[in-house]
Amino acid sequence: MGREFISLFDEWAESYDQSVSGQDEEYKEVFERYGEILEAVASRTTGTVAEFGVGTGNLTEKLLDTGRTVYGIEPSKGMREKTKARFTDLQLFDGDFLAFPELPGEIDAIVSTYAFHHLTDKEKDSAIQLYSQILKENGKIVFADTAFINEADRQERYRIVKEQGYLNLLQDLQTEYYTTLEVLNEIFQKHGFEVSFEKLNTYVWLMEAVKTKKI
């Protein structure tokens, strides 16, 4: 359920914002246009939003700036403390994509950035099935995360990153649960969503899924 990464994120809480700002050359392309990516996700939401993997609250800030009501869900204590210090009135819960407390109200959209890859494909399927039950018709899932078009694209990206000498990034790409658009499309459709994908940088895709039918 992604909780195997909690200790990493507890340690990363202090330096996370430096990483996403592009100061780490190895991950610069991963976080290219970071602010625009957050704005793209926030702009595609309405009403009340559940945000998974809040981190230090960067997407949260964009959502609040656009007038959304936000329920934040984050498994890392270190990250929650960072976010709570920024937004003292935010309703913030200890939870993850699959296990979280009952939320105070109905949800119009579910969002996340740079986090869905912490789930295996099987867990991604379970999460989308759960969200299909939570969201009403026309409710949305809006995620932004690294993904590959297909397996050939995955292998080509491995080759490029290895050639660049970015061995830490290569290890991340090979050991975490990054998936393909083919797999994601199948999962979303299976659970009653119509999904579209838009490439936002070399690594990150925007995934906008609208619930069109009850399964």
Side-chain angles (χ1 to χ4, degrees):
M1 296 185 192
R3 285 189 173 260
E4 63 267 37
F5 301 105
I6 289 179
S7 61
L8 168 66
F9 278 91
D10 282 341
E11 294 172 10
W12 200 11
E14 289 300 322
S15 61
Y16 181 80
D17 289 331
Q18 292 178 339
S19 297
V20 301
S21 69
Q23 294 183 33
D24 186 335
E25 184 65 30
E26 191 163 353
Y27 288 84
K28 191 172 184 177
E29 284 187 300
V30 177
F31 293 108
E32 185 180 6
R33 300 176 61 206
Y34 179 69
E36 294 174 48
I37 289 170
L38 301 184
E39 289 172 3
V41 171
S43 69
R44 286 163 171 79
T45 65
T46 58
T48 301
V49 178
E51 180 189 355
F52 287 91
V54 168
T56 58
N58 296 327
L59 175 58
T60 310
E61 180 177 46
K62 301 291 186 186
L63 291 164
L64 293 172
D65 285 347
T66 56
R68 308 294 177 254
T69 297
V70 180
Y71 301 138
I73 298 139
E74 169 60 55
S76 163
K77 181 181 178 182
M79 292 290 191
R80 288 199 306 276
E81 288 174 350
K82 283 284 185 181
T83 299
K84 199 62 178 176
R86 290 176 68 179
F87 310 107
T88 55
D89 294 332
L90 178 70
Q91 296 192 65
L92 185 59
F93 303 94
D94 179 3
D96 56 51
F97 282 104
L98 285 168
F100 51 92
E102 183 176 352
L103 300 178
E106 288 190 338
I107 302 300
D108 299 299
I110 293 170
V111 302
S112 182
T113 54
Y114 291 88
F116 201 45
H117 65 271
H118 294 310
L119 302 186
T120 65
D121 285 352
K122 184 177 180 180
E123 289 170 341
K124 289 183 181 75
D125 185 281
S126 296
I128 300 305
Q129 181 182 29
L130 175 60
Y131 306 157
S132 73
Q133 297 166 1
I134 293 173
L135 291 169
K136 296 179 292 184
E137 188 173 347
N138 296 318
K140 276 188 179 182
I141 296 172
V142 188
F143 289 166
D145 201 2
T146 291
F148 306 102
I149 298 171
N150 50 35
E151 285 303 320
D153 183 43
R154 185 200 301 273
Q155 295 305 318
E156 177 62 9
R157 179 50 47 185
Y158 289 172
R159 184 194 67 77
I160 291 170
V161 171
K162 186 175 182 180
E163 192 174 85
Q164 291 173 318
Y166 295 159
L167 300 185
N168 290 325
L169 175 56
L170 180 62
Q171 183 180 20
D172 287 346
L173 292 174
Q174 292 178 329
T175 56
E176 296 196 35
Y177 309 124
Y178 297 99
T179 194
T180 67
L181 301 190
E182 291 179 344
V183 169
L184 288 166
N185 185 61
E186 182 180 341
I187 289 173
F188 280 115
Q189 288 192 2
K190 174 182 175 182
H191 296 298
F193 290 90
E194 185 174 297
V195 63
S196 62
F197 301 98
E198 178 184 348
K199 195 167 189 180
L200 299 182
N201 69 24
T202 301
Y203 289 88
V204 174
W205 291 81
L206 180 74
M207 313 162 201
E208 184 175 7
V210 179
K211 185 179 176 184
T212 57
K213 58 184 177 180
K214 189 173 182 179
I215 300 298

